[in-house]
Amino acid sequence: MVQAYILIQTEVGKATAVAQSIAGITGVLTAEDVTGPYDVIVRAEADSIDDLGRLVVAQVQQVEGITRTLTCPVVRL
């Protein structure tokens, strides 16, 4: 199982709607509004890094109101 944090920038005033939409996507563990350079932080999981990439590109990035994402895979050292 691969987990990642997805840092999301949204259009002005869209953070809450984006977080609510993303929260309903299969594989998303949490989606929360935050302050700072990013507007929403998501924790997601998938069976493989390829599946995680598909989750981000095919589902998360398609949510209306998102302007940019940064995916940070969790590593276990």
Side-chain angles (χ1 to χ4, degrees):
M1 190 68 58
V2 177
Q3 293 187 344
Y5 289 96
I6 306 166
L7 312 177
I8 299 172
Q9 292 177 333
T10 69
E11 296 172 7
V12 174
K14 301 280 185 169
T16 300
V18 167
Q20 289 173 347
S21 293
I22 291 173
I25 296 173
T26 300
V28 170
L29 304 175
T30 61
E32 300 179 297
D33 298 18
V34 296
T35 60
Y38 295 95
D39 303 305
V40 176
I41 296 181
V42 172
R43 181 143 181 163
E45 69 179 3
D47 290 332
S48 69
I49 196 75
D50 291 334
D51 289 338
L52 179 64
R54 282 188 279 279
L55 170 69
V56 173
V57 173
Q59 296 182 61
V60 172
Q61 290 181 347
Q62 300 307 310
V63 172
E64 187 174 337
I66 292 177
T67 58
R68 180 174 296 177
T69 64
L70 174 66
T71 303
C72 304
V74 173
V75 295
R76 291 176 178 81
L77 304 175

